[in-house]
Structures are given as structure tokens and as C-alpha cells.
Amino acid sequence: MHVNNFKPSNNERRFKAHVSTLGTTQLHLRNPYIIAWWSAAFPGFGHLLLSKYLRGYTLFLWEILINVMSKLNLAMVYSFTGNTEMAKEILEPRWFLLYIPVYLFSIWDSYRTAVDMNRLCLLAERENADFNTFAIGSFEINYLDKRSPLMAVVWSLFMPGMGQLYIHRIVTGTFNLIWIIIFVYYSNLLLAVHSLFLGNIAQATEVVNPQWLLFIPSLYGFSVYDAYVNTVENNKLYENEQRKFLQKHYQQYRVKIPSQIVR
């Protein structure tokens, strides 16, 4: 059973936000170039920042599949270390040629969507329609409140996904947690760290898998940025909703201050 305090009417065309048991989705102004940059860093991240979850997760999974099958990350490592012949040898062209068109589409579509959503955001702000601020269900409770952007960053640095869980972005937080486990496991990162603590640098270098290791920085960066931005925007949304509520229900009761002070 799902309960909230919002009853939409036919007169309201756009809502600035929606609070559900899985998270708070809202419209706010974004820099289209920043969104496009995140799509270039890792296809799908730009769409996830726009709350386009189905499109974002689809592109994310596509990136993992094509990158691993084409051995793109491994080829990049050989190229950066000057071993271009080895990079050419291991790169799988049957998979790599599939990479280019979807990669370009991810950048273009995220930029275009960011521009369109900025326009919708301005229209929604002018309409200033009511939206729900509280949602309760059988498994979760979600509500608008203020939280610390610094804490969201700190928890994301400890483990990608925990910053999202802190601000109740359940789906994205769970998705990030699952994939950081996969990346760390297949990259043998913890085995390499263990070897480093023992002073065995050669073994640490040998055991690490660069194909999976290169996925980790992008996921870390996205988790930190997404948690920080959404915490800031949720705080703004909370303040705007409180301001609107107080103006609507209490501004009519004006306090009359006497002109003369009685002694």
C-alpha cells in the first residue's frame, strides 16, 4: 500500500518534483556540457544524472559488454605505455566497430536531453504546481529534508553507492554498489592492495587486471558527483517547498507592531 499527500489535478501540466519510496526525482537546471562530458567519460552516466534511468542503465550495460568483448581498456593501457603494436593485436575489430556509433549517440542524446529538460524546468518553475513531499510504502519511507552534501561525498568515497543511499536514491545506489563489487572482484584490486601492503610490488602489478580496473575511477567519480549534486538540489527543493507552504498558509496572518512603545 502506497500513501502520499498529493492529489494531482487536470489544471497542472508540469511538476517540478516527485517523491516516491524509491527516491526523489526532480527537474533542476543542469549544464548540458557537463552532462555530455559524463557521457563521454562513461556512456550512461550523463543520462543517469538527468534521471533517465532506463536509457542510462541500458547504455551503461552496453559499455561494459562492448568494452570487455573488444578489450578496449586493455588496448588503451598498451597505447599509454607506448606498446601500440600489442594494442593493435589484442583489439577485437568486430566488437570495437560497434562501439563508435552508440558512444557518439550517448554524448549527443544526453546533451540534447539536458537542453530540453532545462526548458521544462523553467516552465515548471513558472507554473509552480504542487507536488508530493512524503511517500510511505510497505518497504520504504521517503520525505523531503535537508542533508549534508559533505557527508554524501564522504560516504561515496568510502564506497560508491552509499552516498546515493544516504540521500535515498535507492535504485542508483544499489546499482552502483553492485557494479563496484563486480569491478573490484574481476580487477583483482584487493589482491593487488594486499600484495602492496606486503611490499611485493611486482606481484601486485602482475595480479591486477587492467581491463576491469579502468572502470573503477569513472564509477567513483560519478558516484561522488551525483551524490553531491543531488544532495544540494534536494536541499534547495526542500527550502522552496517550505517557503511556498509558509507563504500559502501563514503569510496572511500579519503581525501588527504598535507604533508607540508603552512604558
Side-chain angles (χ1 to χ4, degrees), residues 32-191:
Y33 293 104
I34 297 296
I35 299 298
W37 185 89
W38 276 111
S39 292
F42 206 110
F45 282 170
H47 290 86
L48 292 180
L49 289 171
L50 297 172
S51 298
K52 293 283 189 177
Y53 298 112
L54 293 179
R55 204 179 306 178
Y57 294 144
T58 299
L59 291 170
F60 181 94
L61 295 175
W62 168 88
E63 162 70 17
I64 299 298
L65 173 63
I66 303 299
N67 198 312
V68 171
M69 298 304 294
S70 66
K71 297 182 175 60
L72 178 60
N73 281 350
L74 191 57
M76 290 172 59
V77 171
Y78 284 126
S79 297
F80 293 156
T81 55
N83 196 343
T84 56
E85 293 300 323
M86 181 64 72
K88 294 178 183 179
E89 183 178 344
I90 66 167
L91 193 63
E92 176 55 64
R94 290 176 299 178
W95 288 96
F96 178 70
L97 293 179
L98 293 174
Y99 188 89
I100 301 173
V102 183
Y103 180 79
L104 296 177
F105 168 81
S106 175
I107 299 173
W108 172 82
D109 187 66
S110 63
Y111 178 88
R112 176 196 63 82
T113 305
V115 172
D116 288 343
M117 291 184 67
N118 284 345
R119 295 169 181 167
L120 291 174
C121 178
L122 295 176
L123 293 173
E125 287 183 349
R126 290 193 176 187
E127 188 170 350
N128 199 24
D130 292 331
F131 57 89
N132 64 323
T133 60
F134 180 86
I136 183 170
S138 301
F139 297 100
E140 275 290 346
I141 300 174
N142 187 23
Y143 48 88
L144 283 182
D145 65 342
K146 294 190 70 173
R147 299 186 182 177
S148 169
L150 178 60
M151 289 305 301
V153 170
V154 170
W155 283 117
S156 295
L157 289 173
F158 275 117
M159 180 67 68
M162 291 199 297
Q164 280 74 21
L165 295 181
Y166 168 67
I167 60 174
H168 206 93
R169 285 172 62 83
I170 302 298
V171 178
T172 303
T174 304
F175 189 84
N176 289 349
L177 282 171
I178 291 173
W179 278 101
I180 191 61
I181 292 172
I182 295 174
F183 292 160
V184 169
Y185 179 81
Y186 283 105
S187 66
N188 297 326
L189 176 61
L190 296 184
L191 293 177

Side-chain angles (χ1 to χ4, degrees), residues 142-254:
N142 187 23
Y143 48 88
L144 283 182
D145 65 342
K146 294 190 70 173
R147 299 186 182 177
S148 169
L150 178 60
M151 289 305 301
V153 170
V154 170
W155 283 117
S156 295
L157 289 173
F158 275 117
M159 180 67 68
M162 291 199 297
Q164 280 74 21
L165 295 181
Y166 168 67
I167 60 174
H168 206 93
R169 285 172 62 83
I170 302 298
V171 178
T172 303
T174 304
F175 189 84
N176 289 349
L177 282 171
I178 291 173
W179 278 101
I180 191 61
I181 292 172
I182 295 174
F183 292 160
V184 169
Y185 179 81
Y186 283 105
S187 66
N188 297 326
L189 176 61
L190 296 184
L191 293 177
V193 172
H194 178 72
S195 298
L196 285 176
F197 285 156
L198 297 177
N200 196 338
I201 301 177
Q203 184 177 354
T205 305
E206 182 180 351
V207 75
V208 73
N209 186 344
Q211 173 62 43
W212 289 91
L213 182 67
L214 290 187
F215 290 132
I216 295 178
S218 298
L219 185 60
Y220 253 101
F222 166 76
S223 296
V224 171
Y225 180 81
D226 177 77
Y228 177 82
V229 168
N230 279 283
T231 305
V232 171
E233 294 300 331
N234 284 352
N235 290 345
K236 293 179 182 178
L237 187 67
Y238 171 81
E239 293 175 352
N240 290 338
E241 193 279 332
Q242 288 289 301
R243 186 182 303 111
K244 181 181 177 182
F245 177 82
L246 294 175
Q247 289 175 347
K248 181 178 180 180
H249 294 278
Y250 295 101
Q251 191 168 352
Q252 56 182 319
Y253 305 110
R254 298 184 178 276

